[in-house]
Amino acid sequence: MIKNSLLSIGLMLLLFSSSCSNEILPIPPVEPLPNEYQLAWQELEYYGFIHFNMNTFTNKEWGYGDEIPAQFNPSELDARQWARVAKEAGMKGLIITAKHHDGFSLWPSAYTEHSVKNSPWKEGKGDLIQELSDACKEFGLKFGVYLSPWDRNHADYGKKEYVDYYRNQLRELLTNYGPIFEVWFDGANGGDGFYGGANEERRVEKRTYYEWPTTIDLVRDLQPKAVIFSDAGPDIRWVGNERGYAYDTTWSPILRDSVYAGMPGFDKYAKGQENGTHWVPTESDVSIRPGWYYHPEQDDKVKTLSQLVDIYFNSVGRNSNFLLNLPIDTRGLVHENDEAQLKKLAIYLSKMYETDFADSAKIKASVSRQGYAADLIHDTNKHSYWAAPEGVNTAQIELEWTSPQEVNTFMVQEYIPLGQRIKSFTFEVKTEEGWQTLETGATVGNKRLIRFNTPPITALRFSIIDSKASPILSNLGVYKAPKLPTE
Ligand code: FUL
């Protein structure tokens, strides 16, 4: 009893002294929260996928598994060229299909004959995973692997032995090639295949067959800093389509009861959930061509600059990461047409981000928490931020210029280490005609990008209408994106 009263007197004194002093109190987080590897991953924003192996030479999207290693025969394979192109494109990493559904392995795995070691490429002495890992290192890119759970070549697919084989392969990939930033578990599996000559249909129970919890533990053990992607995480989730578009409302938290690649009814996760229990942000994957693999007949179907820009805004700009696939051609190179489009996107984005017009604006907030003033939204420290007072879930941030500005893009970021909070906002600009509302939306998360097309503006207002708890913004920017050509 005495102890309790002493405790409450102590607490009162503490509250009294902090309300009298200028002490900056930490802000309570709103769970679920990202871990440090998810945060580092989120900062990558844009990175590349490489689809290259047997299908490249058979001109297919899904090989049956009866191909023979002799068919894998690139004439000028150069993983350094891929890394150079990716780097120049502004990508932060590359994830390669180490093994796709047909089972052919791009490294000399000790557990199968169905690999580069029996191919004509480098007379069977090549190891493409090593080459790409080295090239990524040289060009300062992160390196990730895709290992298809479904294997249409393997005789044991469907039995327990295959799951051991899968883990053995994974162990090779996660042990021998340096740091891996992302492990990609594809969801497509089950169905007909070669299966060591059985040529039959094999269905597996996707939830239980692979014993995912054990495989996830293996990844944690071998590459504790890697994030694991599958339809529902555990770390990164699929955005729910292969067009590269996140939803307008995209929560990083999801309500999740289990995790496995290829979960049916994925739709319920696509937008995430405001009251989600696990932090599992989205990754938006899309190919620069119609196919994931190279097909010569698609040489003139590479996405246009406008399409790529649109995807960028609808992925990175909607609280997602952008994973852009490059189908490597039969020479073993990123095709010239693809490289040209990547360059256009890189130039476009660097021009857009070149000048931040927020630098010359006066920034005001309708309310601020002590120690978290409005100017902290726009400084060079990514860990400083503006926040509304405790219990205040609505606020307005206004930017004002002394002369009209020709701008067309607004960027805003929540400070996600303390949780995703904002659930409703509006965006307005002021022109000679007065104020007009240009957008109303729900989520912000890591980044929200808003494009607009108005006469020059003298002010803009980002209003947080509602939030799960007092909102926290870490960054904002105002840009002038170049005009897009009509292609
Ligand atoms: C899908 C696969 O079936 C496609 O072939 C491709 O690899 C894509 C990224 O994932 O599930």
Side-chain angles (χ1 to χ4, degrees), residues 174-408:
L174 302 184
T175 310
N176 299 333
Y177 301 102
I180 302 288
F181 85 102
E182 181 168 333
V183 180
W184 223 88
F185 292 136
D186 186 77
N189 69 53
D192 63 337
F194 176 66
Y195 304 126
N199 292 308
E200 60 188 12
E201 169 113 7
R202 290 186 186 172
R203 297 260 163 219
V204 299
E205 168 48 59
K206 291 181 192 173
R207 182 194 286 265
T208 53
Y209 172 59
Y210 295 99
E211 297 167 15
W212 282 113
T214 310
T215 303
I216 289 166
D217 285 350
L218 179 71
V219 179
R220 300 282 189 236
D221 193 33
L222 299 173
Q223 294 279 344
K225 298 184 178 175
V227 289
I228 303 175
F229 167 96
S230 87
D231 293 339
D235 304 323
I236 309 299
R237 74 181 198 261
W238 187 42
V239 76
N241 65 75
E242 292 184 337
R243 293 177 299 110
Y245 279 62
Y247 282 89
D248 190 38
T249 296
T250 298
W251 288 97
S252 291
I254 58 171
L255 267 177
R256 182 183 80 184
D257 49 10
S258 59
V259 176
Y260 59 99
M263 281 178 84
F266 184 76
D267 295 1
K268 66 177 186 208
Y269 292 117
K271 295 180 180 177
Q273 281 109 9
E274 183 190 323
N275 58 346
T277 47
H278 295 75
W279 185 273
V280 190
T282 63
E283 180 181 79
S284 304
D285 61 334
V286 59
S287 186
I288 196 164
R289 292 169 175 235
W292 292 101
Y293 280 93
Y294 177 77
H295 308 292
E297 62 277 17
Q298 294 181 356
D299 279 351
D300 59 355
K301 301 219 161 51
V302 182
K303 292 203 164 50
T304 62
L305 175 63
S306 305
Q307 288 173 317
L308 292 172
V309 167
D310 229 46
I311 294 170
Y312 175 85
F313 273 90
N314 285 291
S315 54
V316 174
R318 282 181 171 180
N319 190 30
S320 190
N321 270 3
F322 176 18
L323 174 58
L324 179 59
N325 178 62
L326 310 177
I328 302 297
D329 66 19
T330 47
R331 293 171 302 175
L333 300 174
V334 177
H335 192 275
E336 293 74 357
N337 295 0
D338 305 43
E339 184 177 355
Q341 294 310 96
L342 289 169
K343 271 202 180 125
K344 287 185 200 165
L345 177 64
I347 292 171
Y348 181 92
L349 292 177
S350 75
K351 281 201 176 137
M352 174 174 116
Y353 286 121
E354 202 165 61
T355 309
D356 184 352
F357 292 78
D359 287 347
S360 58
K362 201 168 106 208
I363 304 180
K364 288 190 304 195
S366 57
V367 282
S368 295
R369 186 183 288 247
Q370 177 167 303
Y372 299 92
D375 54 337
L376 297 173
I377 311 178
H378 195 65
D379 62 5
T380 49
N381 179 357
K382 65 176 183 184
H383 291 297
S384 69
Y385 37 86
W386 160 87
E390 193 62 24
V392 177
N393 296 348
T394 169
Q396 292 178 343
I397 305 292
E398 211 169 290
L399 270 66
E400 206 180 13
W401 290 269
T402 47
S403 60
Q405 307 290 308
E406 260 182 64
V407 290
N408 56 18

Side-chain angles (χ1 to χ4, degrees), residues 49 51 61-62 100-101 146 184 186-188 242 285 292-293:
F49 221 171
H51 272 67
E61 281 290 310
W62 280 12
H100 203 250
H101 310 328
Y146 166 121
W184 223 88
D186 186 77
E242 292 184 337
D285 61 334
W292 292 101
Y293 280 93

Side-chain angles (χ1 to χ4, degrees), residues 108-114 117 154 164-165 168-169 171-172:
S109 170
Y111 300 96
T112 181
E113 292 305 308
H114 199 52
K117 73 183 171 196
H154 205 281
D164 294 337
Y165 168 76
N168 284 334
Q169 286 212 314
R171 195 172 291 111
E172 289 180 319

